[in-house]
Amino acid sequence: MTLLSSARMSAAILALGALTAVPAHAAGIDGSSLGLTWAVPFAGILLSIALCPLFLPHFWHKNFGKVAVFWALCCAVPLCAVLGFSVGTDAIVHVLLADYVPFIIFVGSLFVVAGGIHVRGSFVGRPIVNVAFLGLGAVLANFMGTTGAAMLLIRPLIEANAGRTRKKQTFIFFIFLVANVGGALTPLGDPPLFLGFLKGVGFFWTAEHLMLPWLLCSGVLLFIYFLIDSACFKKDVADGFKAPAETKAFAIEGGINVLLLAGIIGAVLYSGFSRSGIEFTFLNVHFALESIFRDLCFLALAGLSLMLTAKATREANHFTWDPILEVAKLFFGIFVCIVPVLEMLRAGHDGAFASLVALVTNADGSFNNTFFFWLTGSLSAFLDNAPTYLAFFNLAGGDPAVLMTTDAQTLMAISMGSVFMGAVTYIGNAPNFMTVAICNERGVKMPSFFGYMLWSVGILFPVFFLMDMVFLT
């Protein structure tokens, strides 16, 4: 998803590789004192993203950035007016500097570097080829993050299916598998898992405990996709689709970017393992030395990519800045509007969402893993999955030693929900939105916000019910 993460780094919707160090809180805001009215701006920007492209497409295309700023002001101005100018401005500045800026630096650097890698070859979007792309992406997501894997593979997949008429299902399942479910095996795969790692969860714990859920969920989704795409492919062939006669030798152009991508992964790992103890404060926001170094590495690697990648390589990828600019503008509004919502969630039993929080505990005091899974996942589909993971991690006791052993099934539920269900909406994870933006830019007609949810709820929820019954009940 969903996409605020911590005082050291935001990660994204994403997905983004995982980048957090210490959870970010809106300074001075007491979440237990906030009512549901404070969620109206967040609901407003979500509905704008969902409805405006459907009913006001021309207006939205020209003004989506202004709409994002409008809803951000609808949240920021009341915060300053009601809670005090200092509290309100501190909260907004905190989320922008500690979360939004690092998030854009990270996602932007991955976008630039992956956009400099052109996979050339005669790929034809037959069902088995598309399945191979999706399966490879699900594996790569665990090593380069869901954002890195999605940005690396989306363009060659679009190229492979260029001649297909019925192809939107391929990119819907790409979001399911590559941008979300695939990144469940390592802390590098998705932000909440990295946040758990920073809290003391073992690096290999996720692979050990989520391997079977990952295999089953990925396998079922790939099988469903193969059936759907096979039926669509037969119709395309009946309508006259033919594989291109011209063949191209397989090659990877812009190979220097593979090394730069490895550098980005290395910077993420460094920020997770390093503990310099050196911190700086700017506008009441604390930054660790390793976090600043990591972000500078991201910027430097993106700059090197722009300098060292041949112009022809980016042109072959149809590289433009529009997708990342769209993400930057819309998520500016989302990051600001989500501040009071996250504080209410963090308030737990004392907040406006207390009735939901109470569902995760049974009458005898034991944990209800099914509710942990579905509540963590449902909130991760619309909020940021990293702080949502952290909130339910703390509700489950917050002791990694206990959660990795006695309550391992509960930690599984929280981990699966936060990673898997980012696929439920376009805003559930950063690579979801970036994938949609690139597809639209390349002429692939994607479903509307609610149209996509018809696919995700209709396909993913039955699979998630299976995951629940097999691994959590």
Side-chain angles (χ1 to χ4, degrees):
M1 85 99 313
T2 26
L3 295 171
L4 297 175
S5 59
S6 73
R8 301 293 180 264
M9 185 74 182
S10 169
I13 296 87
L14 313 25
L16 6 135
L19 305 173
T20 57
V22 176
H25 293 263
I29 295 182
D30 178 10
S32 63
S33 67
L34 302 179
L36 289 176
T37 305
W38 288 98
V40 170
F42 182 68
I45 194 169
L46 292 188
L47 288 173
S48 297
I49 293 171
L51 298 177
C52 287
L54 190 62
F55 297 108
L56 301 168
H58 182 72
F59 169 82
W60 180 252
H61 179 71
K62 296 284 187 180
N63 299 287
F64 63 83
K66 297 175 184 176
V67 173
V69 171
F70 167 77
W71 286 114
L73 290 173
C74 286
C75 179
V77 172
L79 277 177
C80 293
V82 176
L83 302 182
F85 182 79
S86 177
V87 172
T89 54
D90 279 354
I92 301 304
V93 169
H94 193 275
V95 76
L96 292 179
L97 292 184
D99 295 323
Y100 174 74
V101 171
F103 160 72
I104 290 298
I105 290 175
F106 173 63
V107 175
S109 63
L110 281 173
F111 178 78
V112 170
V113 172
I117 303 173
H118 178 61
V119 180
R120 179 165 55 84
S122 298
F123 300 110
V124 178
R126 296 185 175 90
I128 192 64
V129 173
N130 289 334
V131 166
F133 265 101
L134 299 183
L136 175 63
V139 173
L140 290 178
N142 293 292
F143 302 98
M144 62 176 62
T146 52
T147 298
M151 292 303 97
L152 178 66
L153 294 177
I154 184 59
R155 292 179 178 89
L157 186 60
I158 290 174
E159 195 69 29
N161 288 272
R164 294 276 305 271
T165 302
R166 300 165 180 85
K167 54 189 173 185
K168 67 181 178 182
Q169 70 279 353
T170 297
F171 305 101
I172 291 171
F173 276 83
F174 184 89
I175 294 174
F176 291 172
L177 283 155
V178 182
N180 290 278
V181 173
L185 294 185
T186 75
L188 289 174
D190 220 29
L193 301 183
F194 193 76
L195 190 56
F197 167 65
L198 295 176
K199 283 293 182 180
V201 178
F203 190 90
F204 297 103
W205 186 93
T206 49
E208 179 183 350
H209 288 81
L210 297 185
M211 178 63 77
L212 290 179
W214 179 84
L215 285 172
L216 181 58
C217 190
S218 299
V220 170
L221 289 176
L222 285 172
F223 178 71
I224 294 172
Y225 167 74
F226 181 76
L227 295 179
I228 294 174
D229 197 47
S230 295
C232 291
F233 185 74
K234 289 179 180 178
K235 293 180 180 179
D236 285 344
V237 171
D239 289 344
F241 170 77
K242 294 181 180 179
E246 181 183 356
T247 59
K248 300 177 183 178
F250 175 81
I252 296 178
E253 299 173 354
I256 185 64
N257 288 284
V258 176
L259 296 177
L260 298 178
L261 193 60
I264 291 176
I265 296 171
V268 173
L269 285 174
Y270 167 80
S271 70
F273 283 102
S274 177
R275 293 292 183 272
S276 67
I278 301 174
E279 292 192 356
F280 305 90
T281 300
F282 177 68
L283 296 178
N284 294 324
V285 181
H286 299 289
F287 300 92
L289 177 63
E290 52 269 23
S291 298
I292 296 174
F293 177 76
R294 175 201 59 218
D295 292 348
L296 291 176
C297 285
F298 291 161
L299 291 172
L301 292 166
L304 285 173
S305 176
L306 292 172
M307 289 189 296
L308 298 178
T309 305
K311 183 179 179 181
T313 301
R314 292 197 184 276
E315 289 178 347
N317 271 339
H318 301 274
F319 179 90
T320 72
W321 293 99
D322 290 344
I324 191 62
L325 289 176
E326 184 174 356
V327 168
K329 292 176 181 179
L330 290 177
F331 276 98
F332 170 82
I334 291 173
F335 269 67
V336 174
C337 293
I338 207 173
V339 169
V341 177
L342 287 179
E343 291 308 312
M344 287 188 283
L345 179 61
R346 288 191 180 105
H349 293 282
D350 298 320
F353 299 125
S355 58
L356 293 178
V357 172
L359 294 175
V360 301
T361 305
N362 295 318
D364 61 1
S366 62
F367 292 136
N368 188 316
N369 296 322
T370 290
F371 276 109
F372 262 112
F373 173 62
W374 286 100
L375 284 179
T376 305
S378 298
L379 290 173
S380 293
F382 293 95
L383 304 177
D384 176 24
N385 57 1
T388 301
Y389 171 98
L390 181 63
F392 284 95
F393 183 94
N394 289 332
L395 283 173
D399 186 343
V402 175
L403 286 170
M404 286 191 294
T405 53
T406 306
D407 294 327
Q409 200 173 37
T410 301
L411 185 54
M412 282 178 61
I414 297 169
S415 302
M416 289 165 57
S418 60
V419 175
F420 288 0
M421 293 198 201
V424 173
T425 71
Y426 278 153
I427 65 166
N429 210 359
N432 302 8
F433 212 94
M434 296 175 74
T435 297
V436 174
I438 292 173
C439 286
N440 288 333
E441 184 185 50
R442 295 288 298 275
V444 178
K445 185 173 178 57
M446 294 293 287
S448 66
F449 187 91
F450 289 122
Y452 172 82
M453 286 192 67
L454 288 176
W455 281 81
S456 66
V457 172
I459 293 173
L460 291 177
F461 273 31
V463 177
F464 293 157
F465 277 116
L466 176 64
M467 297 295 105
D468 183 9
M469 288 188 294
V470 173
F471 299 105
L472 302 176
T473 302

